[in-house]
Amino acid sequence: PQGIGSPSVYHAVIVIFLEFFAWGLLTAPTLVVLHETFPKHTFLMNGLIQGVKGLLSFLSAPLIGALSDVWGRKSFLLLTVFFTCAPIPLMKISPWWYFAVISVSGVFAVTFSVVFAYVADITQEHERSMAYGLVSATFAASLVTSPAIGAYLGRVYGDSLVVVLATAIALLDICFILVAVPESLPEKMRPASWGAPISWEQADPFASLKKVGQDSIVLLICITVFLSYLPEAGQYSSFFLYLRQIMGFSSESVAAFIAVLGILSIIAQTIVLSLLMRSIGNKNTILLGLGFQILQLAWYGFGSEPWMMWAAGAVAAMSSITFPAVSALVSRTADADQQGVVQGMITGIRGLCNGLGPALYGFIFYIFHVELNELPMPESPSGGSVVTQYHLQQNSIIPGPPFLFGACSVLLALLVALFIPEHTNLNVRSSNWKKHCGSHGHPYSPQAPGEAKEPLLQDTNV
């Protein structure tokens, strides 16, 4: 087979690292270009761009996963990485085309779906969770380092160099896939003809959502995930822009904030989560995580000083324990043959939130007229004059209204989660699901249990 060596998790790790390292470099330049391109209704346009991309990714991910079951993983790794990185060079060529291509690229910007399929092909079931954890940790590591590097290079050498460097890294990723990544799907599982049929039921993005109402416990879990992840998805799409534009953070401060938050979240999801699960139990860990999320969203909403954002960020890292705890609850209470079904529902809910959340946050910013007429200069030691002027103009309005809306949403999620029993057996009718998931005869299915162990951020949030 083409490629270097036999298929391994390390091939997938390198692909993910290079792709998101390239995007992480552009964190600070993107915030500047976004405001310069849309000086009016900046948050609304940001929400619409990210919302369209998220919805397109939600609709296309199952189809691309099904096609990769038939035609192999390598070609779709190449396709998804190419289209995910295609907007990068357009940032300096044409900002309007840059944002237009970002929104449309959601159709193919589903690298994680193909990477998880690649990993599932080459790992046994008992080692799959560890492999997914390695991929997720690599994703987080790339975003911990790259925004700070991009902000420094942009300040010293200009944003053009950052765009060129990000483009070069994206091209390196594409070349790595072409030259070094071997095909993971065995030849005997791929048909000789490219016209082979696929399972359209498997390609249906709403297939998992249709099963939500079949069990009351599953319904409670899915409602909890929806109400808690909707504001989280919206927050990830707009929060760094909010820090930059409204709170007066410099590019370096935003990069440092991302790094600190990423490191604290990794610690929370490993050491702290393990201690809590053993000491207070699964359900109480979920409730504690939701409580932290309510606190950090309320703090973001009412906070008007930079130190408040840093303090709330530490609380936000603790709130990241919620989804792993939900996944653990499902894996412990669902029968062995129900794991893929229930985890697939949760993954589908999160995918839907990735489209709805950013658009919702952008719309709420627009309703409350949270805009900025001037862009704080990053090289200025303090952008106090601009920020002070903003707050004097907007002193009758809560600084971050969408975050308060999110806090109310998570409060509802907490009330719903109170009714989830600690130990129960989930019963979801899945005969059709199991039939079409097993139709290809190999261990991968788009909603494999391990896929729920998603990274802190996702493709659509970069």
Side-chain angles (χ1 to χ4, degrees), residues 252-426:
E252 292 78 10
S253 298
V254 172
F257 189 94
I258 296 173
V260 171
L261 186 60
I263 293 171
L264 291 177
S265 297
I266 292 172
I267 296 173
Q269 292 195 69
T270 52
I271 301 172
V272 177
L273 179 63
S274 177
L275 293 174
L276 289 175
M277 294 283 278
R278 287 200 298 266
S279 58
I280 65 176
N282 204 320
K283 178 181 175 180
N284 289 331
T285 302
I286 296 174
L287 297 177
L288 183 63
L290 292 173
F292 277 118
Q293 189 176 358
I294 293 172
L295 178 60
Q296 59 105 350
L297 285 170
W299 211 339
Y300 283 154
F302 286 113
S304 58
E305 300 294 333
W307 70 265
M308 297 181 181
M309 299 296 104
W310 284 98
V315 178
M318 281 300 301
S319 71
S320 66
I321 65 175
T322 303
F323 187 71
V326 169
S327 297
L329 176 66
V330 169
S331 65
R332 288 173 54 185
T333 56
D335 294 334
D337 62 346
Q338 302 285 310
Q339 293 282 339
V341 182
V342 183
Q343 297 281 12
M345 294 178 194
I346 296 175
T347 304
I349 294 287
R350 282 168 64 92
L352 190 61
C353 290
N354 280 328
L356 297 178
L360 180 64
Y361 264 52
F363 184 65
I364 295 176
F365 274 125
Y366 172 72
I367 290 177
F368 282 86
H369 306 290
V370 179
E371 298 293 343
L372 195 64
N373 295 324
E374 296 182 67
L375 183 67
M377 298 302 291
E379 58 270 8
S380 174
S382 65
S385 60
V386 175
V387 178
T388 303
Q389 179 185 7
Y390 170 81
H391 285 299
L392 287 175
Q393 293 173 350
Q394 302 285 350
N395 56 7
S396 61
I397 296 179
I398 298 168
F403 303 111
L404 293 182
F405 171 83
C408 296
S409 177
V410 179
L411 179 60
L412 292 177
L414 180 66
L415 296 176
V416 173
L418 289 172
F419 294 95
I420 300 175
E422 178 80 40
H423 300 288
T424 186
N425 287 322
L426 303 180

Side-chain angles (χ1 to χ4, degrees), residues 201 211 214 337-338 341 428-438:
E201 184 179 0
K211 300 178 175 63
Q214 296 179 2
D337 62 346
Q338 302 285 310
V341 182
V428 183
R429 296 186 296 276
S430 61
S431 57
N432 291 334
W433 182 274
K434 288 184 289 183
K435 180 177 67 177
H436 79 255
C437 278

Side-chain angles (χ1 to χ4, degrees), residues 102-188:
I102 282 182
S103 59
V104 176
S105 70
V107 175
F108 294 102
V110 288
T111 308
F112 271 102
S113 298
V114 185
V115 164
F116 285 152
Y118 189 95
V119 171
D121 290 339
I122 58 179
T123 55
Q124 300 297 322
E125 188 170 350
H126 66 277
E127 58 188 11
R128 202 163 292 157
S129 296
M130 183 70 71
Y132 285 143
L134 181 60
V135 173
S136 300
T138 303
F139 171 85
S142 70
L143 292 182
V144 164
T145 55
S146 55
I149 295 173
Y152 171 76
L153 292 177
R155 179 168 55 85
V156 176
Y157 301 105
D159 289 344
S160 296
L161 176 67
V162 181
V163 174
V164 171
L165 180 61
T167 304
I169 294 175
L171 290 174
L172 176 63
D173 196 11
I174 293 172
C175 293
F176 176 78
I177 296 172
L178 283 171
V179 175
V181 175
E183 176 58 59
S184 65
L185 194 63
E187 184 69 33
K188 62 183 180 181

